[in-house]
PDB file of all heavy atoms in Angstrom:
ATOM      1  N   ILE A   1       8.725  -1.603   3.233  1.00  0.00           N
ATOM      2  CA  ILE A   1       8.049  -0.295   2.989  1.00  0.00           C
ATOM      3  C   ILE A   1       8.121   0.571   4.307  1.00  0.00           C
ATOM      4  O   ILE A   1       7.725   0.019   5.350  1.00  0.00           O
ATOM      5  CB  ILE A   1       6.567  -0.654   2.565  1.00  0.00           C
ATOM      6  CG1 ILE A   1       6.503  -1.344   1.358  1.00  0.00           C
ATOM      7  CG2 ILE A   1       5.775   0.687   2.548  1.00  0.00           C
ATOM      8  CD1 ILE A   1       5.127  -1.727   0.823  1.00  0.00           C
ATOM      9  N   TYR A   2       8.510   1.855   4.167  1.00  0.00           N
ATOM     10  CA  TYR A   2       8.586   2.622   5.274  1.00  0.00           C
ATOM     11  C   TYR A   2       7.154   3.002   5.748  1.00  0.00           C
ATOM     12  O   TYR A   2       6.383   3.713   5.269  1.00  0.00           O
ATOM     13  CB  TYR A   2       9.312   3.990   4.864  1.00  0.00           C
ATOM     14  CG  TYR A   2       9.674   4.948   5.901  1.00  0.00           C
ATOM     15  CD1 TYR A   2      10.766   5.739   5.745  1.00  0.00           C
ATOM     16  CD2 TYR A   2       9.009   5.026   7.167  1.00  0.00           C
ATOM     17  CE1 TYR A   2      11.183   6.653   6.770  1.00  0.00           C
ATOM     18  CE2 TYR A   2       9.360   5.803   8.117  1.00  0.00           C
ATOM     19  CZ  TYR A   2      10.443   6.692   7.946  1.00  0.00           C
ATOM     20  OH  TYR A   2      10.940   7.530   8.897  1.00  0.00           O
ATOM     21  N   ASP A   3       6.936   2.366   6.948  1.00  0.00           N
ATOM     22  CA  ASP A   3       5.459   2.461   7.522  1.00  0.00           C
ATOM     23  C   ASP A   3       5.416   3.342   8.663  1.00  0.00           C
ATOM     24  O   ASP A   3       5.267   2.967   9.788  1.00  0.00           O
ATOM     25  CB  ASP A   3       5.004   1.019   7.879  1.00  0.00           C
ATOM     26  CG  ASP A   3       5.871   0.329   8.760  1.00  0.00           C
ATOM     27  OD1 ASP A   3       7.119   0.670   8.840  1.00  0.00           O
ATOM     28  OD2 ASP A   3       5.412  -0.559   9.484  1.00  0.00           O
ATOM     29  N   ALA A   4       5.703   4.650   8.398  1.00  0.00           N
ATOM     30  CA  ALA A   4       5.596   5.662   9.481  1.00  0.00           C
ATOM     31  C   ALA A   4       4.139   5.684   9.936  1.00  0.00           C
ATOM     32  O   ALA A   4       3.746   5.938  11.061  1.00  0.00           O
ATOM     33  CB  ALA A   4       5.942   7.054   8.962  1.00  0.00           C
ATOM     34  N   PHE A   5       3.108   5.427   9.021  1.00  0.00           N
ATOM     35  CA  PHE A   5       1.737   5.242   9.281  1.00  0.00           C
ATOM     36  C   PHE A   5       1.303   4.080   8.447  1.00  0.00           C
ATOM     37  O   PHE A   5       1.819   3.789   7.448  1.00  0.00           O
ATOM     38  CB  PHE A   5       0.997   6.498   8.969  1.00  0.00           C
ATOM     39  CG  PHE A   5       1.554   7.694   9.629  1.00  0.00           C
ATOM     40  CD1 PHE A   5       2.522   8.539   8.962  1.00  0.00           C
ATOM     41  CD2 PHE A   5       1.135   8.062  10.899  1.00  0.00           C
ATOM     42  CE1 PHE A   5       3.129   9.659   9.633  1.00  0.00           C
ATOM     43  CE2 PHE A   5       1.628   9.178  11.462  1.00  0.00           C
ATOM     44  CZ  PHE A   5       2.677  10.000  10.924  1.00  0.00           C
ATOM     45  N   THR A   6       0.229   3.520   8.937  1.00  0.00           N
ATOM     46  CA  THR A   6      -0.480   2.403   8.169  1.00  0.00           C
ATOM     47  C   THR A   6      -0.814   2.776   6.675  1.00  0.00           C
ATOM     48  O   THR A   6      -0.614   2.097   5.802  1.00  0.00           O
ATOM     49  CB  THR A   6      -1.715   1.946   8.750  1.00  0.00           C
ATOM     50  OG1 THR A   6      -2.540   2.944   9.055  1.00  0.00           O
ATOM     51  CG2 THR A   6      -1.344   1.155  10.122  1.00  0.00           C
ATOM     52  N   LEU A   7      -1.106   4.039   6.550  1.00  0.00           N
ATOM     53  CA  LEU A   7      -1.479   4.667   5.223  1.00  0.00           C
ATOM     54  C   LEU A   7      -0.368   4.585   4.229  1.00  0.00           C
ATOM     55  O   LEU A   7      -0.579   4.343   3.004  1.00  0.00           O
ATOM     56  CB  LEU A   7      -1.937   6.088   5.391  1.00  0.00           C
ATOM     57  CG  LEU A   7      -2.249   6.791   4.109  1.00  0.00           C
ATOM     58  CD1 LEU A   7      -3.495   6.247   3.413  1.00  0.00           C
ATOM     59  CD2 LEU A   7      -2.398   8.275   4.304  1.00  0.00           C
ATOM     60  N   ASN A   8       0.946   4.665   4.735  1.00  0.00           N
ATOM     61  CA  ASN A   8       2.015   4.665   3.731  1.00  0.00           C
ATOM     62  C   ASN A   8       2.065   3.369   2.987  1.00  0.00           C
ATOM     63  O   ASN A   8       2.549   3.315   1.829  1.00  0.00           O
ATOM     64  CB  ASN A   8       3.325   4.732   4.502  1.00  0.00           C
ATOM     65  CG  ASN A   8       3.585   6.134   5.095  1.00  0.00           C
ATOM     66  OD1 ASN A   8       3.502   6.322   6.289  1.00  0.00           O
ATOM     67  ND2 ASN A   8       3.697   7.127   4.152  1.00  0.00           N
ATOM     68  N   VAL A   9       1.598   2.145   3.607  1.00  0.00           N
ATOM     69  CA  VAL A   9       1.750   0.925   2.921  1.00  0.00           C
ATOM     70  C   VAL A   9       0.830   0.704   1.715  1.00  0.00           C
ATOM     71  O   VAL A   9       1.422   0.442   0.631  1.00  0.00           O
ATOM     72  CB  VAL A   9       1.624  -0.252   4.033  1.00  0.00           C
ATOM     73  CG1 VAL A   9       1.525  -1.573   3.426  1.00  0.00           C
ATOM     74  CG2 VAL A   9       2.585  -0.144   5.106  1.00  0.00           C
ATOM     75  N   PRO A  10      -0.324   1.009   1.805  1.00  0.00           N
ATOM     76  CA  PRO A  10      -1.205   0.913   0.629  1.00  0.00           C
ATOM     77  C   PRO A  10      -0.867   1.823  -0.437  1.00  0.00           C
ATOM     78  O   PRO A  10      -0.703   1.552  -1.720  1.00  0.00           O
ATOM     79  CB  PRO A  10      -2.678   1.124   0.983  1.00  0.00           C
ATOM     80  CG  PRO A  10      -2.599   1.624   2.429  1.00  0.00           C
ATOM     81  CD  PRO A  10      -1.309   1.069   3.024  1.00  0.00           C
ATOM     82  N   ILE A  11      -0.394   3.072  -0.091  1.00  0.00           N
ATOM     83  CA  ILE A  11       0.097   4.006  -1.106  1.00  0.00           C
ATOM     84  C   ILE A  11       1.256   3.374  -1.867  1.00  0.00           C
ATOM     85  O   ILE A  11       1.396   3.462  -3.050  1.00  0.00           O
ATOM     86  CB  ILE A  11       0.328   5.391  -0.431  1.00  0.00           C
ATOM     87  CG1 ILE A  11      -0.968   6.118  -0.087  1.00  0.00           C
ATOM     88  CG2 ILE A  11       1.147   6.265  -1.412  1.00  0.00           C
ATOM     89  CD1 ILE A  11      -0.764   7.313   0.767  1.00  0.00           C
ATOM     90  N   ASP A  12       2.250   2.938  -1.098  1.00  0.00           N
ATOM     91  CA  ASP A  12       3.505   2.359  -1.761  1.00  0.00           C
ATOM     92  C   ASP A  12       3.233   1.135  -2.441  1.00  0.00           C
ATOM     93  O   ASP A  12       3.806   0.869  -3.508  1.00  0.00           O
ATOM     94  CB  ASP A  12       4.594   2.114  -0.680  1.00  0.00           C
ATOM     95  CG  ASP A  12       5.242   3.534  -0.307  1.00  0.00           C
ATOM     96  OD1 ASP A  12       4.593   4.528  -0.299  1.00  0.00           O
ATOM     97  OD2 ASP A  12       6.400   3.374   0.275  1.00  0.00           O
ATOM     98  N   LEU A  13       2.344   0.316  -2.013  1.00  0.00           N
ATOM     99  CA  LEU A  13       1.855  -0.867  -2.701  1.00  0.00           C
ATOM    100  C   LEU A  13       1.369  -0.560  -4.171  1.00  0.00           C
ATOM    101  O   LEU A  13       1.797  -1.230  -5.113  1.00  0.00           O
ATOM    102  CB  LEU A  13       0.905  -1.662  -2.033  1.00  0.00           C
ATOM    103  CG  LEU A  13       1.341  -2.406  -0.749  1.00  0.00           C
ATOM    104  CD1 LEU A  13       0.146  -2.952   0.080  1.00  0.00           C
ATOM    105  CD2 LEU A  13       2.337  -3.544  -0.945  1.00  0.00           C
ATOM    106  N   GLU A  14       0.558   0.445  -4.293  1.00  0.00           N
ATOM    107  CA  GLU A  14       0.005   0.906  -5.448  1.00  0.00           C
ATOM    108  C   GLU A  14       1.123   1.529  -6.379  1.00  0.00           C
ATOM    109  O   GLU A  14       1.215   1.361  -7.546  1.00  0.00           O
ATOM    110  CB  GLU A  14      -1.084   1.839  -5.226  1.00  0.00           C
ATOM    111  CG  GLU A  14      -2.337   1.237  -4.548  1.00  0.00           C
ATOM    112  CD  GLU A  14      -3.426   2.183  -4.110  1.00  0.00           C
ATOM    113  OE1 GLU A  14      -3.358   3.342  -4.634  1.00  0.00           O
ATOM    114  OE2 GLU A  14      -4.257   1.794  -3.332  1.00  0.00           O
ATOM    115  N   GLY A  15       1.946   2.446  -5.708  1.00  0.00           N
ATOM    116  CA  GLY A  15       3.073   3.178  -6.497  1.00  0.00           C
ATOM    117  C   GLY A  15       4.014   2.230  -6.952  1.00  0.00           C
ATOM    118  O   GLY A  15       4.506   2.445  -8.093  1.00  0.00           O
ATOM    119  N   ALA A  16       4.180   1.095  -6.360  1.00  0.00           N
ATOM    120  CA  ALA A  16       5.286   0.134  -6.796  1.00  0.00           C
ATOM    121  C   ALA A  16       4.688  -0.856  -7.779  1.00  0.00           C
ATOM    122  O   ALA A  16       5.428  -1.698  -8.236  1.00  0.00           O
ATOM    123  CB  ALA A  16       5.901  -0.553  -5.458  1.00  0.00           C
ATOM    124  N   GLY A  17       3.433  -0.855  -8.041  1.00  0.00           N
ATOM    125  CA  GLY A  17       2.869  -1.689  -8.985  1.00  0.00           C
ATOM    126  C   GLY A  17       2.405  -3.122  -8.543  1.00  0.00           C
ATOM    127  O   GLY A  17       2.200  -3.937  -9.330  1.00  0.00           O
ATOM    128  N   PHE A  18       2.416  -3.256  -7.247  1.00  0.00           N
ATOM    129  CA  PHE A  18       1.886  -4.585  -6.756  1.00  0.00           C
ATOM    130  C   PHE A  18       0.334  -4.796  -6.848  1.00  0.00           C
ATOM    131  O   PHE A  18      -0.092  -5.933  -6.831  1.00  0.00           O
ATOM    132  CB  PHE A  18       2.367  -4.856  -5.266  1.00  0.00           C
ATOM    133  CG  PHE A  18       3.788  -4.824  -5.181  1.00  0.00           C
ATOM    134  CD1 PHE A  18       4.546  -3.895  -4.417  1.00  0.00           C
ATOM    135  CD2 PHE A  18       4.610  -5.841  -5.791  1.00  0.00           C
ATOM    136  CE1 PHE A  18       5.912  -3.922  -4.281  1.00  0.00           C
ATOM    137  CE2 PHE A  18       5.970  -5.827  -5.625  1.00  0.00           C
ATOM    138  CZ  PHE A  18       6.586  -4.788  -4.917  1.00  0.00           C
ATOM    139  N   CYS A  19      -0.343  -3.718  -7.030  1.00  0.00           N
ATOM    140  CA  CYS A  19      -1.788  -3.711  -7.169  1.00  0.00           C
ATOM    141  C   CYS A  19      -2.196  -2.545  -7.828  1.00  0.00           C
ATOM    142  O   CYS A  19      -1.472  -1.580  -8.074  1.00  0.00           O
ATOM    143  CB  CYS A  19      -2.474  -3.931  -5.884  1.00  0.00           C
ATOM    144  SG  CYS A  19      -2.055  -2.611  -4.661  1.00  0.00           S
ATOM    145  N   LYS A  20      -3.432  -2.506  -8.397  1.00  0.00           N
ATOM    146  CA  LYS A  20      -3.964  -1.304  -9.071  1.00  0.00           C
ATOM    147  C   LYS A  20      -4.212  -0.183  -8.064  1.00  0.00           C
ATOM    148  O   LYS A  20      -4.289  -0.274  -6.898  1.00  0.00           O
ATOM    149  CB  LYS A  20      -5.273  -1.715  -9.801  1.00  0.00           C
ATOM    150  CG  LYS A  20      -5.077  -2.667 -10.870  1.00  0.00           C
ATOM    151  CD  LYS A  20      -6.318  -3.014 -11.625  1.00  0.00           C
ATOM    152  CE  LYS A  20      -6.082  -4.018 -12.735  1.00  0.00           C
ATOM    153  NZ  LYS A  20      -7.440  -4.364 -13.417  1.00  0.00           N
ATOM    154  N   VAL A  21      -4.381   1.150  -8.737  1.00  0.00           N
ATOM    155  CA  VAL A  21      -4.647   2.221  -7.922  1.00  0.00           C
ATOM    156  C   VAL A  21      -6.094   2.016  -7.143  1.00  0.00           C
ATOM    157  O   VAL A  21      -6.940   1.616  -7.759  1.00  0.00           O
ATOM    158  CB  VAL A  21      -4.802   3.471  -8.797  1.00  0.00           C
ATOM    159  CG1 VAL A  21      -5.329   4.658  -7.931  1.00  0.00           C
ATOM    160  CG2 VAL A  21      -3.479   3.829  -9.391  1.00  0.00           C
ATOM    161  N   GLY A  22      -6.027   2.324  -5.835  1.00  0.00           N
ATOM    162  CA  GLY A  22      -7.187   2.193  -5.116  1.00  0.00           C
ATOM    163  C   GLY A  22      -7.365   0.765  -4.483  1.00  0.00           C
ATOM    164  O   GLY A  22      -8.301   0.497  -3.699  1.00  0.00           O
ATOM    165  N   GLU A  23      -6.459  -0.214  -4.758  1.00  0.00           N
ATOM    166  CA  GLU A  23      -6.577  -1.567  -4.239  1.00  0.00           C
ATOM    167  C   GLU A  23      -5.566  -1.944  -3.236  1.00  0.00           C
ATOM    168  O   GLU A  23      -5.498  -3.039  -2.698  1.00  0.00           O
ATOM    169  CB  GLU A  23      -6.469  -2.553  -5.485  1.00  0.00           C
ATOM    170  CG  GLU A  23      -7.597  -2.455  -6.426  1.00  0.00           C
ATOM    171  CD  GLU A  23      -7.424  -3.399  -7.645  1.00  0.00           C
ATOM    172  OE1 GLU A  23      -6.524  -4.269  -7.629  1.00  0.00           O
ATOM    173  OE2 GLU A  23      -8.393  -3.482  -8.430  1.00  0.00           O
ATOM    174  N   GLY A  24      -4.719  -0.918  -2.705  1.00  0.00           N
ATOM    175  CA  GLY A  24      -3.811  -1.279  -1.800  1.00  0.00           C
ATOM    176  C   GLY A  24      -4.232  -1.625  -0.438  1.00  0.00           C
ATOM    177  O   GLY A  24      -3.716  -2.596   0.166  1.00  0.00           O
ATOM    178  N   GLY A  25      -5.358  -1.035  -0.011  1.00  0.00           N
ATOM    179  CA  GLY A  25      -5.945  -1.416   1.267  1.00  0.00           C
ATOM    180  C   GLY A  25      -6.470  -2.910   1.334  1.00  0.00           C
ATOM    181  O   GLY A  25      -6.243  -3.643   2.090  1.00  0.00           O
ATOM    182  N   ALA A  26      -7.178  -3.237   0.145  1.00  0.00           N
ATOM    183  CA  ALA A  26      -7.695  -4.583  -0.007  1.00  0.00           C
ATOM    184  C   ALA A  26      -6.534  -5.562  -0.149  1.00  0.00           C
ATOM    185  O   ALA A  26      -6.603  -6.636   0.503  1.00  0.00           O
ATOM    186  CB  ALA A  26      -8.538  -4.636  -1.202  1.00  0.00           C
ATOM    187  N   PHE A  27      -5.461  -5.186  -0.905  1.00  0.00           N
ATOM    188  CA  PHE A  27      -4.299  -6.109  -1.038  1.00  0.00           C
ATOM    189  C   PHE A  27      -3.702  -6.460   0.276  1.00  0.00           C
ATOM    190  O   PHE A  27      -3.405  -7.653   0.632  1.00  0.00           O
ATOM    191  CB  PHE A  27      -3.325  -5.397  -1.868  1.00  0.00           C
ATOM    192  CG  PHE A  27      -2.152  -6.193  -2.225  1.00  0.00           C
ATOM    193  CD1 PHE A  27      -2.094  -6.958  -3.362  1.00  0.00           C
ATOM    194  CD2 PHE A  27      -0.950  -6.206  -1.549  1.00  0.00           C
ATOM    195  CE1 PHE A  27      -1.015  -7.776  -3.699  1.00  0.00           C
ATOM    196  CE2 PHE A  27       0.096  -6.979  -1.813  1.00  0.00           C
ATOM    197  CZ  PHE A  27       0.145  -7.748  -2.990  1.00  0.00           C
ATOM    198  N   ALA A  28      -3.557  -5.425   1.228  1.00  0.00           N
ATOM    199  CA  ALA A  28      -3.062  -5.718   2.538  1.00  0.00           C
ATOM    200  C   ALA A  28      -4.139  -6.449   3.416  1.00  0.00           C
ATOM    201  O   ALA A  28      -3.627  -7.442   4.113  1.00  0.00           O
ATOM    202  CB  ALA A  28      -2.760  -4.391   3.270  1.00  0.00           C
ATOM    203  N   ALA A  29      -5.325  -6.177   3.375  1.00  0.00           N
ATOM    204  CA  ALA A  29      -6.398  -6.798   4.202  1.00  0.00           C
ATOM    205  C   ALA A  29      -6.459  -8.298   3.752  1.00  0.00           C
ATOM    206  O   ALA A  29      -6.923  -9.131   4.635  1.00  0.00           O
ATOM    207  CB  ALA A  29      -7.670  -6.136   4.125  1.00  0.00           C
ATOM    208  N   ASP A  30      -6.222  -8.657   2.527  1.00  0.00           N
ATOM    209  CA  ASP A  30      -6.290 -10.036   1.998  1.00  0.00           C
ATOM    210  C   ASP A  30      -5.177 -10.943   2.501  1.00  0.00           C
ATOM    211  O   ASP A  30      -5.110 -12.076   2.050  1.00  0.00           O
ATOM    212  CB  ASP A  30      -6.512  -9.991   0.484  1.00  0.00           C
ATOM    213  CG  ASP A  30      -7.739  -9.532  -0.006  1.00  0.00           C
ATOM    214  OD1 ASP A  30      -8.740  -9.420   0.888  1.00  0.00           O
ATOM    215  OD2 ASP A  30      -7.919  -9.184  -1.223  1.00  0.00           O
TER     216      ASP A  30
END
């Protein structure tokens, strides 16, 4: 995932379907 900023990662995780909308941050932190 292109991580120009930490924010890009949860956004892409959600967009790619690895977790639900709004859960990207928790997915990473877990």
Side-chain angles (χ1 to χ4, degrees):
I1 295 177
Y2 192 149
D3 55 339
F5 304 93
T6 52
L7 176 66
N8 292 113
V9 175
I11 288 176
D12 282 26
L13 290 170
E14 294 171 17
F18 295 116
C19 57
K20 295 180 180 178
V21 173
E23 295 182 358
F27 186 89
D30 288 344

